Coordinates of all heavy atoms in Angstrom, one line a residue:
M1 N 266.7 234.3 115.9 CA 266.8 233.9 117.3 C 267.3 235.2 118.0 O 268.2 235.8 117.6 CB 267.8 232.8 117.5 CG 267.9 232.3 118.8 SD 269.0 230.9 118.8 CE 268.3 230.0 120.1
S2 N 266.7 235.6 119.1 CA 267.0 236.8 119.9 C 268.1 236.5 120.8 O 268.4 235.4 121.4 CB 265.9 237.4 120.6 OG 265.5 236.5 121.6
E3 N 269.0 237.6 121.1 CA 270.0 237.4 122.2 C 269.4 237.4 123.5 O 268.5 238.2 123.7 CB 271.0 238.6 122.0 CG 272.0 238.5 120.9 CD 273.1 237.4 121.2 OE1 273.6 237.4 122.3 OE2 273.2 236.5 120.2
S4 N 270.0 236.6 124.3 CA 269.5 236.6 125.7 C 270.1 237.7 126.6 O 271.3 238.0 126.4 CB 269.9 235.2 126.4 OG 269.5 235.2 127.7
A5 N 269.3 238.3 127.4 CA 269.8 239.3 128.3 C 270.6 238.7 129.5 O 271.2 239.5 130.3 CB 268.7 240.1 128.8
Y6 N 270.6 237.4 129.7 CA 271.0 236.7 130.9 C 272.2 235.8 130.4 O 272.1 235.1 129.5 CB 270.0 235.9 131.5 CG 268.8 236.8 131.9 CD1 267.6 236.5 131.3 CD2 268.9 237.6 132.9 CE1 266.6 237.3 131.6 CE2 267.6 238.5 133.2 CZ 266.6 238.2 132.6 OH 265.5 238.9 133.0
N7 N 273.2 235.7 131.4 CA 274.2 234.6 131.1 C 273.8 233.4 131.9 O 272.9 233.2 132.6 CB 275.5 235.2 131.7 CG 276.1 236.3 130.9 OD1 276.1 236.2 129.6 ND2 276.6 237.3 131.5
I8 N 274.7 232.4 131.7 CA 274.4 231.0 132.4 C 274.3 231.3 133.9 O 275.1 231.9 134.5 CB 275.6 230.1 132.0 CG1 275.7 229.8 130.7 CG2 275.3 228.9 133.0 CD1 276.9 229.1 130.1
G9 N 273.2 230.8 134.5 CA 273.0 231.0 135.9 C 272.2 232.2 136.4 O 272.2 232.4 137.5
E10 N 272.0 233.1 135.5 CA 271.3 234.3 135.7 C 269.8 234.4 135.3 O 269.4 233.6 134.5 CB 272.1 235.4 135.1 CG 273.5 235.7 135.6 CD 274.2 236.9 134.8 OE1 273.8 237.2 133.7 OE2 275.2 237.3 135.4
G11 N 269.1 235.3 135.8 CA 267.7 235.5 135.5 C 266.8 234.9 136.3 O 267.1 234.2 137.2
P12 N 265.5 235.3 136.1 CA 264.4 234.7 136.8 C 264.3 233.2 136.4 O 264.6 232.7 135.4 CB 263.2 235.4 136.5 CG 263.5 236.0 135.2 CD 265.0 236.3 135.1
A13 N 263.7 232.5 137.4 CA 263.3 231.0 137.1 C 262.3 230.9 136.2 O 261.4 231.7 136.0 CB 263.0 230.3 138.3
T14 N 262.4 230.0 135.2 CA 261.3 229.7 134.2 C 261.0 228.3 134.3 O 262.0 227.4 134.5 CB 261.8 230.2 132.8 OG1 260.7 230.0 131.9 CG2 263.0 229.4 132.4
R15 N 259.7 227.9 134.1 CA 259.3 226.5 134.2 C 259.6 225.9 132.7 O 259.1 226.6 131.8 CB 257.8 226.5 134.5 CG 257.3 225.0 134.8 CD 255.9 225.0 135.3 NE 256.0 225.5 136.6 CZ 256.0 224.8 137.8 NH1 256.4 223.5 137.7 NH2 255.9 225.3 138.9
V16 N 260.1 224.8 132.8 CA 260.3 224.0 131.6 C 259.9 222.5 131.9 O 259.8 222.1 133.0 CB 261.8 224.0 131.1 CG1 262.2 225.4 130.8 CG2 262.8 223.3 132.1
S17 N 259.5 221.8 130.8 CA 259.1 220.4 131.0 C 260.4 219.5 130.6 O 261.3 220.0 129.7 CB 258.0 220.0 129.9 OG 257.9 218.7 130.0
L18 N 260.7 218.6 131.4 CA 261.9 217.7 131.4 C 261.5 216.3 131.5 O 260.8 215.8 132.4 CB 262.9 218.2 132.5 CG 264.1 217.4 132.7 CD1 265.1 217.6 131.5 CD2 264.8 217.8 134.0
S19 N 262.0 215.5 130.6 CA 261.8 214.0 130.7 C 263.2 213.3 131.0 O 264.1 213.6 130.4 CB 261.2 213.5 129.4 OG 260.0 214.1 129.1
L20 N 263.1 212.5 132.1 CA 264.2 211.8 132.5 C 263.8 210.4 132.7 O 262.7 210.0 133.0 CB 264.7 212.3 134.0 CG 265.3 213.6 133.9 CD1 265.5 213.9 135.5 CD2 266.7 213.8 133.1
P21 N 264.8 209.4 132.6 CA 264.5 208.0 132.8 C 264.1 208.1 134.4 O 264.7 208.7 135.2 CB 265.8 207.4 132.6 CG 266.5 208.2 131.6 CD 266.2 209.6 132.0
E22 N 263.1 207.1 134.7 CA 262.7 207.0 136.1 C 263.9 206.7 137.0 O 263.9 207.2 138.1 CB 261.6 206.1 136.2 CG 261.0 206.0 137.6 CD 260.4 207.2 138.2 OE1 259.8 208.1 137.4 OE2 260.7 207.5 139.4
G23 N 264.7 205.9 136.6 CA 265.9 205.5 137.5 C 266.7 206.8 137.8 O 267.2 206.9 138.9
T24 N 266.9 207.6 136.7 CA 267.7 208.9 137.0 C 267.1 209.7 138.0 O 267.6 210.3 138.9 CB 268.0 209.5 135.7 OG1 268.8 208.6 134.7 CG2 268.8 210.8 135.9
A25 N 265.8 210.0 137.6 CA 264.9 210.8 138.5 C 264.9 210.4 140.0 O 265.1 211.1 141.0 CB 263.5 211.0 138.0
E26 N 264.7 209.1 140.2 CA 264.7 208.5 141.5 C 266.0 208.7 142.2 O 266.1 208.9 143.5 CB 264.3 207.1 141.5 CG 264.1 206.4 142.8 CD 263.1 207.2 143.7 OE1 262.1 207.6 143.3 OE2 263.4 207.3 145.1
A27 N 267.2 208.4 141.4 CA 268.5 208.6 142.1 C 268.6 210.2 142.4 O 269.2 210.3 143.5 CB 269.6 208.3 141.1
I28 N 268.2 211.0 141.8 CA 268.3 212.4 142.2 C 267.5 212.7 143.4 O 267.9 213.4 144.4 CB 267.9 213.4 141.1 CG1 268.8 213.2 139.8 CG2 267.7 214.9 141.5 CD1 268.3 213.9 138.6
R29 N 266.3 212.2 143.4 CA 265.4 212.4 144.6 C 266.0 211.8 145.9 O 265.8 212.4 146.9 CB 264.0 211.8 144.4 CG 263.1 212.6 143.6 CD 261.7 211.9 143.4 NE 261.0 212.4 142.1 CZ 261.0 211.5 141.0 NH1 261.5 210.2 141.3 NH2 260.5 211.9 139.9
S30 N 266.5 210.6 145.7 CA 267.1 210.0 147.0 C 268.3 210.7 147.4 O 268.7 210.6 148.6 CB 267.4 208.5 146.6 OG 268.4 208.5 145.8
R31 N 269.0 211.3 146.5 CA 270.3 212.1 146.8 C 269.9 213.4 147.5 O 270.6 213.8 148.5 CB 271.1 212.3 145.6 CG 272.4 212.5 145.9 CD 273.3 212.3 144.6 NE 273.9 211.0 144.3 CZ 275.0 210.5 144.9 NH1 275.6 211.2 145.8 NH2 275.4 209.3 144.6
V32 N 269.0 214.1 146.9 CA 268.8 215.6 147.3 C 267.4 215.9 147.9 O 267.2 217.0 148.4 CB 269.1 216.5 146.2 CG1 270.6 216.4 145.7 CG2 268.1 216.5 145.0
G33 N 266.4 214.9 147.7 CA 265.2 215.2 148.2 C 264.4 215.8 147.0 O 264.8 216.4 146.2
K34 N 263.0 215.7 147.2 CA 262.0 216.2 146.1 C 262.1 217.8 146.1 O 262.1 218.3 145.1 CB 260.7 215.8 146.6 CG 259.6 216.0 145.6 CD 258.3 215.3 146.1 CE 257.3 215.5 144.8 NZ 255.9 215.0 145.2
R35 N 262.4 218.4 147.2 CA 262.4 220.0 147.3 C 263.5 220.5 146.6 O 263.4 221.5 146.0 CB 262.3 220.4 148.7 CG 260.9 220.2 149.3 CD 260.9 220.7 150.7 NE 261.0 222.1 150.7 CZ 260.2 222.9 151.3 NH1 259.4 222.5 152.0 NH2 260.5 224.1 151.1
E36 N 264.6 219.8 146.5 CA 265.9 220.3 145.7 C 266.1 219.7 144.5 O 267.2 220.0 143.9 CB 267.0 220.0 146.8 CG 267.0 220.6 148.1 CD 266.9 222.1 148.0 OE1 267.7 222.8 147.1 OE2 266.2 222.9 148.7
F37 N 265.1 219.1 144.0 CA 265.3 218.4 142.7 C 265.6 219.4 141.6 O 266.6 219.3 140.8 CB 264.0 217.6 142.3 CG 264.1 216.7 141.1 CD1 264.3 215.4 141.3 CD2 263.8 217.2 139.8 CE1 264.5 214.6 140.1 CE2 264.0 216.5 138.7 CZ 264.2 215.1 138.8
S38 N 264.8 220.5 141.4 CA 265.1 221.5 140.3 C 266.4 222.2 140.6 O 267.1 222.3 139.5 CB 264.0 222.6 140.4 OG 262.6 222.0 140.0
A39 N 266.9 222.5 141.7 CA 268.2 223.0 142.0 C 269.3 222.2 141.6 O 270.3 222.6 140.9 CB 268.3 223.4 143.4
F40 N 269.1 220.9 141.7 CA 270.2 219.9 141.4 C 270.3 219.9 139.8 O 271.3 219.9 139.2 CB 269.7 218.6 142.0 CG 270.7 217.4 141.6 CD1 271.9 217.3 142.4 CD2 270.7 216.7 140.4 CE1 272.7 216.2 142.1 CE2 271.5 215.7 140.0 CZ 272.5 215.4 141.0
I41 N 269.1 219.8 139.2 CA 269.1 219.8 137.7 C 269.7 221.0 137.1 O 270.5 221.1 136.2 CB 267.6 219.5 137.2 CG1 267.1 218.3 137.6 CG2 267.6 219.7 135.7 CD1 267.9 217.1 137.1
S42 N 269.3 222.2 137.7 CA 269.9 223.5 137.3 C 271.3 223.6 137.4 O 272.1 224.0 136.6 CB 269.2 224.6 138.0 OG 269.6 225.9 137.7
A43 N 272.0 223.1 138.5 CA 273.4 223.2 138.7 C 274.0 222.3 137.7 O 275.1 222.5 137.2 CB 273.7 222.8 140.2
A44 N 273.4 221.1 137.5 CA 274.1 220.1 136.7 C 274.1 220.6 135.2 O 275.2 220.5 134.4 CB 273.4 218.7 136.7
V45 N 273.0 221.3 134.7 CA 273.0 222.0 133.4 C 273.9 222.9 133.2 O 274.8 223.1 132.3 CB 271.4 222.3 133.1 CG1 271.4 223.1 131.9 CG2 270.6 221.1 133.0
E46 N 274.1 223.8 134.3 CA 275.0 225.1 134.3 C 276.4 224.4 134.1 O 277.2 225.0 133.5 CB 274.8 225.8 135.5 CG 273.6 226.7 135.5 CD 273.4 227.4 136.7 OE1 274.4 227.7 137.5 OE2 272.2 227.8 137.1
R47 N 276.8 223.4 134.9 CA 278.1 222.8 134.8 C 278.3 222.3 133.5 O 279.4 222.5 132.8 CB 278.2 221.7 135.8 CG 278.6 222.1 137.2 CD 279.1 220.9 138.1 NE 278.2 219.8 138.0 CZ 277.1 219.7 138.8 NH1 276.8 220.6 139.7 NH2 276.2 218.6 138.8
E48 N 277.4 221.6 132.8 CA 277.6 221.2 131.5 C 277.8 222.3 130.4 O 278.6 222.3 129.6 CB 276.4 220.4 131.0 CG 276.4 219.9 129.6 CD 277.5 218.9 129.2 OE1 278.0 218.2 130.2 OE2 277.9 218.8 128.0
L49 N 276.9 223.4 130.5 CA 277.0 224.5 129.6 C 278.4 225.2 129.8 O 279.1 225.6 128.8 CB 276.0 225.5 129.8 CG 274.6 225.0 129.4 CD1 273.6 226.0 129.9 CD2 274.6 225.1 127.9
R50 N 278.9 225.3 131.0 CA 280.2 226.0 131.3 C 281.2 225.1 130.6 O 282.2 225.7 130.1 CB 280.4 226.2 132.8 CG 279.5 227.4 133.2 CD 279.5 227.3 134.8 NE 278.6 228.5 135.2 CZ 278.0 228.6 136.4 NH1 278.3 227.6 137.3 NH2 277.3 229.6 136.7
G51 N 281.1 224.0 130.8 CA 282.1 222.9 130.2 C 282.2 223.1 128.7 O 283.3 223.1 128.1
Q52 N 281.0 223.2 128.1 CA 280.9 223.4 126.7 C 281.6 224.7 126.3 O 282.2 224.7 125.2 CB 279.4 223.2 126.2 CG 279.0 221.8 126.2 CD 277.6 221.7 125.8 OE1 277.0 222.5 125.1 NE2 276.9 220.5 125.9
V53 N 281.3 225.8 127.0 CA 281.8 227.1 126.6 C 283.3 226.9 126.6 O 284.1 227.4 125.8 CB 281.3 228.2 127.5 CG1 282.1 229.4 127.4 CG2 279.9 228.5 127.4
L54 N 283.9 226.3 127.7 CA 285.4 226.2 127.7 C 285.9 225.2 126.6 O 286.9 225.7 126.0 CB 285.7 225.6 129.1 CG 287.3 225.3 129.3 CD1 288.1 226.6 129.0 CD2 287.7 224.8 130.6
D55 N 285.2 224.2 126.3 CA 285.6 223.3 125.2 C 285.7 224.1 123.8 O 286.6 224.0 123.0 CB 284.6 222.1 125.2 CG 285.0 221.2 126.2 OD1 285.9 221.2 127.0 OD2 283.9 220.2 126.4
E56 N 284.6 225.0 123.6 CA 284.6 225.8 122.4 C 285.6 226.7 122.4 O 286.3 226.9 121.3 CB 283.2 226.5 122.4 CG 282.0 225.7 122.1 CD 280.7 226.3 122.3 OE1 280.7 227.6 122.7 OE2 279.7 225.6 122.4
Y57 N 286.0 227.4 123.6 CA 287.1 228.2 123.6 C 288.5 227.6 123.4 O 289.3 228.0 122.4 CB 287.4 228.9 125.0 CG 288.6 229.7 125.0 CD1 288.7 231.0 124.5 CD2 289.7 229.2 125.6 CE1 289.9 231.7 124.5 CE2 290.9 230.0 125.8 CZ 290.9 231.1 125.1 OH 292.2 231.9 125.2
L58 N 288.6 226.4 124.0 CA 289.9 225.6 123.5 C 290.0 225.2 122.2 O 291.1 225.2 121.6 CB 290.0 224.4 124.7 CG 290.3 224.8 126.0 CD1 290.1 223.5 126.9 CD2 291.7 225.4 126.3
A59 N 288.9 224.7 121.6 CA 289.0 224.3 120.2 C 289.3 225.5 119.3 O 290.1 225.4 118.4 CB 287.5 223.7 119.8
D60 N 288.8 226.7 119.5 CA 289.0 227.9 118.8 C 290.6 228.1 119.0 O 291.2 228.5 118.0 CB 288.2 229.1 119.3 CG 288.5 230.4 118.6 OD1 288.5 230.4 117.3 OD2 289.1 231.3 119.3
Y61 N 291.0 228.1 120.1 CA 292.4 228.4 120.5 C 293.3 227.5 119.7 O 294.3 227.9 119.0 CB 292.8 228.3 121.9 CG 294.2 228.7 122.3 CD1 294.5 229.9 122.6 CD2 295.2 227.6 122.3 CE1 295.8 230.4 122.9 CE2 296.5 228.0 122.6 CZ 296.8 229.3 122.9 OH 298.2 229.7 123.2
E62 N 293.0 226.2 119.7 CA 293.9 225.2 119.0 C 293.7 225.5 117.5 O 294.8 225.2 116.8 CB 293.4 223.7 119.3 CG 293.8 223.3 120.6 CD 293.4 221.9 121.0 OE1 292.3 221.4 120.5 OE2 294.2 221.1 121.6
N63 N 292.6 226.0 116.9 CA 292.5 226.1 115.6 C 293.6 227.4 115.2 O 294.0 227.4 114.1 CB 291.1 226.5 115.1 CG 290.3 225.3 115.1 OD1 290.7 224.2 114.8 ND2 289.0 225.5 115.2
R64 N 293.6 228.2 116.0 CA 294.5 229.4 115.8 C 295.9 229.2 116.2 O 296.7 229.7 115.4 CB 293.9 230.6 116.6 CG 292.6 231.2 116.1 CD 292.1 232.4 116.9 NE 291.7 232.1 118.4 CZ 292.3 232.4 119.4 NH1 293.4 233.2 119.3 NH2 292.0 232.1 120.5
K65 N 296.1 228.5 117.3 CA 297.6 228.4 117.7 C 298.2 227.0 117.7 O 299.4 226.9 117.9 CB 297.7 228.8 119.3 CG 297.0 230.2 119.5 CD 298.1 231.3 119.2 CE 297.5 232.6 119.5 NZ 298.5 233.6 119.5
G66 N 297.3 226.0 117.4 CA 297.9 224.6 117.5 C 297.5 223.9 118.7 O 296.8 224.3 119.6
P67 N 297.9 222.6 118.8 CA 297.4 221.7 119.9 C 297.8 222.3 121.2 O 298.9 222.8 121.4 CB 298.2 220.3 119.5 CG 298.4 220.4 118.0 CD 298.8 221.9 117.8
V68 N 296.9 221.9 122.2 CA 297.2 222.3 123.6 C 297.3 221.0 124.4 O 296.5 220.1 124.3 CB 296.0 223.0 124.2 CG1 296.0 223.4 125.5 CG2 295.8 224.3 123.4
S69 N 298.4 221.0 125.2 CA 298.7 219.7 126.0 C 297.6 219.6 127.1 O 296.8 220.5 127.4 CB 300.0 220.0 126.6 OG 300.0 220.9 127.7
E70 N 297.4 218.3 127.6 CA 296.4 217.9 128.6 C 296.7 218.8 129.8 O 295.8 219.3 130.5 CB 296.6 216.5 128.8 CG 295.5 216.0 130.0 CD 294.1 216.2 129.5 OE1 293.8 216.0 128.3 OE2 293.2 216.6 130.4
Q71 N 298.0 219.0 130.2 CA 298.3 219.9 131.4 C 298.0 221.3 131.1 O 297.3 221.9 132.0 CB 299.8 219.8 131.6 CG 300.3 220.5 132.8 CD 301.8 220.6 133.1 OE1 302.5 220.1 132.1 NE2 302.2 221.0 134.2
A72 N 298.1 221.8 130.0 CA 297.7 223.1 129.7 C 296.1 223.3 129.6 O 295.6 224.4 130.2 CB 298.2 223.7 128.4
Q73 N 295.4 222.3 129.3 CA 294.0 222.3 129.3 C 293.5 222.3 130.6 O 292.6 223.1 131.0 CB 293.4 221.1 128.5 CG 293.6 221.2 127.0 CD 292.9 219.8 126.4 OE1 292.0 219.4 126.8 NE2 293.5 219.5 125.2
Q74 N 294.1 221.5 131.5 CA 293.7 221.5 132.9 C 294.0 222.8 133.7 O 293.2 223.3 134.5 CB 294.4 220.4 133.7 CG 294.0 219.0 133.2 CD 292.6 218.7 133.5 OE1 292.0 219.1 134.4 NE2 292.0 218.1 132.5
R75 N 295.1 223.5 133.3 CA 295.5 224.8 133.8 C 294.3 225.8 133.3 O 293.9 226.7 133.9 CB 296.7 225.2 133.4 CG 297.2 226.5 133.8 CD 297.3 226.6 135.5 NE 297.7 228.1 135.9 CZ 297.0 228.7 136.8 NH1 296.0 228.1 137.5 NH2 297.3 229.9 137.0
A76 N 294.0 225.6 132.0 CA 293.1 226.6 131.5 C 291.6 226.5 132.2 O 291.0 227.5 132.5 CB 292.9 226.4 130.0
R77 N 291.3 225.3 132.5 CA 290.1 225.1 133.1 C 290.1 225.7 134.6 O 289.2 226.3 135.0 CB 289.7 223.7 133.4 CG 289.3 222.9 132.1 CD 288.9 221.5 132.3 NE 288.7 220.8 131.0 CZ 287.5 220.9 130.3 NH1 286.6 221.7 130.8 NH2 287.3 220.4 129.1
Q78 N 291.2 225.6 135.3 CA 291.4 226.1 136.5 C 291.3 227.7 136.5 O 290.6 228.3 137.3 CB 292.8 225.7 137.2 CG 293.0 226.2 138.5 CD 294.4 225.8 139.0 OE1 295.2 225.1 138.3 NE2 294.6 226.2 140.3
V79 N 292.0 228.2 135.5 CA 292.0 229.7 135.3 C 290.7 230.1 135.1 O 290.1 231.2 135.6 CB 293.1 230.2 134.3 CG1 292.9 231.6 134.0 CG2 294.5 229.9 134.8
F80 N 290.0 229.5 134.1 CA 288.6 229.8 133.6 C 287.8 229.8 134.9 O 286.9 230.9 135.0 CB 288.3 228.8 132.6 CG 286.9 229.1 131.8 CD1 287.0 229.9 130.8 CD2 285.7 228.5 132.2 CE1 285.8 230.3 130.1 CE2 284.6 228.8 131.5 CZ 284.6 229.7 130.4
D81 N 287.8 228.8 135.8 CA 286.9 228.7 137.0 C 287.2 229.8 137.9 O 286.3 230.6 138.3 CB 287.2 227.4 137.6 CG 286.5 226.2 137.0 OD1 285.6 226.5 136.1 OD2 286.9 225.1 137.3
E82 N 288.5 230.2 138.1 CA 288.9 231.3 139.0 C 288.5 232.7 138.5 O 287.9 233.4 139.3 CB 290.4 231.3 139.3 CG 291.0 230.1 140.0 CD 292.4 229.9 140.0 OE1 293.0 230.9 139.3 OE2 292.9 229.0 140.5
V83 N 288.6 232.9 137.3 CA 288.3 234.1 136.7 C 286.8 234.4 136.8 O 286.4 235.4 137.2 CB 288.8 234.4 135.3 CG1 288.1 235.5 134.5 CG2 290.2 234.4 135.2
F84 N 286.0 233.5 136.4 CA 284.6 233.8 136.3 C 283.9 233.5 137.8 O 282.9 234.2 138.0 CB 283.8 232.8 135.3 CG 284.1 233.3 134.0 CD1 285.0 232.5 133.1 CD2 283.8 234.4 133.4 CE1 285.4 232.9 131.8 CE2 284.0 234.8 132.2 CZ 284.8 234.0 131.4
A85 N 284.6 232.9 138.7 CA 284.0 232.9 140.0 C 284.3 234.2 140.7 O 283.5 234.6 141.5 CB 284.8 231.7 140.8
E86 N 285.4 235.0 140.3 CA 285.7 236.1 140.9 C 284.8 237.2 140.4 O 284.4 238.1 141.2 CB 287.1 236.6 140.6 CG 288.2 235.9 141.4 CD 289.5 236.3 140.9 OE1 289.7 237.1 139.9 OE2 290.6 235.6 141.4
E87 N 284.5 237.1 139.1 CA 283.4 238.1 138.5 C 282.1 237.7 138.9 O 281.1 238.4 138.7 CB 283.6 238.0 137.0 CG 284.9 238.6 136.5 CD 285.0 238.5 135.1 OE1 284.1 238.3 134.3 OE2 286.2 238.8 134.6
G88 N 281.8 236.5 139.4 CA 280.4 236.1 139.8 C 279.5 235.8 138.6 O 278.3 235.8 138.8
Q89 N 280.1 235.6 137.4 CA 279.2 235.3 136.3 C 280.1 234.5 135.3 O 281.2 234.3 135.4 CB 278.8 236.6 135.7 CG 279.9 237.4 135.0 CD 279.4 238.6 134.3 OE1 278.2 239.1 134.5 NE2 280.2 239.2 133.5
W90 N 279.3 233.8 134.4 CA 280.0 233.1 133.3 C 279.4 233.7 132.1 O 278.3 234.2 131.8 CB 279.4 231.6 133.5 CG 280.1 230.9 134.5 CD1 279.8 231.0 135.8 CD2 281.2 230.1 134.3 NE1 280.7 230.1 136.5 CE2 281.7 229.6 135.6 CE3 282.0 229.6 133.1 CZ2 282.6 228.7 135.8 CZ3 282.9 228.7 133.4 CH2 283.3 228.4 134.6
P91 N 280.1 233.5 131.0 CA 279.7 233.9 129.6 C 278.5 233.0 129.1 O 278.4 231.9 129.6 CB 280.8 233.7 128.7 CG 281.7 232.7 129.4 CD 281.4 232.7 130.8
A92 N 277.8 233.6 128.2 CA 276.6 233.0 127.6 C 277.1 231.9 126.8 O 278.3 232.0 126.1 CB 275.8 233.9 126.9
A93 N 276.5 230.7 126.7 CA 276.9 229.7 125.8 C 276.6 230.1 124.3 O 275.7 230.9 124.0 CB 276.0 228.5 126.1
S94 N 277.4 229.7 123.4 CA 277.3 229.9 122.0 C 276.1 229.1 121.5 O 275.7 228.2 121.9 CB 278.5 229.6 121.2 OG 279.6 230.3 121.7

């Protein structure tokens, strides 16, 4: 498997095939319209990937340092968001 030159949310658009339950697809269309459907899906997938990256980091931290309180986890999410928002990029998912 080759390394990607792009991080989450970067690079040119690429066409992919996606199957969704009709009810889900209709809910998206009614919320954002047909023209913004792909942008909505892209944003949702990026949020999920970023959450997974943070979860992986927190799991690694706990393996090395011990349990992290819920309050510390929330603070870590806030710092994580702030740091990467300032840099304008997110790390690649593992």
Side-chain angles (χ1 to χ4, degrees):
M1 182 176 217
S2 66
E3 279 293 311
S4 172
Y6 305 109
N7 289 319
I8 297 169
E10 297 179 340
T14 185
R15 186 173 290 277
V16 296
S17 176
L18 175 69
S19 297
L20 294 172
E22 183 57 38
T24 302
E26 187 54 42
I28 295 168
R29 282 187 210 103
S30 69
R31 203 169 266 279
V32 300
K34 191 174 185 176
R35 295 180 60 129
E36 297 299 319
F37 190 93
S38 291
F40 182 89
I41 296 296
S42 180
V45 170
E46 288 176 24
R47 278 192 308 274
E48 176 65 21
L49 287 170
R50 290 170 178 155
Q52 288 182 11
V53 168
L54 178 56
D55 290 344
E56 291 166 5
Y57 172 79
L58 288 172
D60 176 64
Y61 183 91
E62 285 185 323
N63 284 336
R64 292 181 290 113
K65 305 278 186 172
V68 176
S69 70
E70 182 64 32
Q71 182 180 11
Q73 287 182 33
Q74 292 303 317
R75 178 66 181 133
R77 287 183 187 281
Q78 181 182 3
V79 169
F80 194 80
D81 285 344
E82 290 169 3
V83 167
F84 290 110
E86 288 172 7
E87 293 179 11
Q89 65 178 12
W90 282 83
S94 298

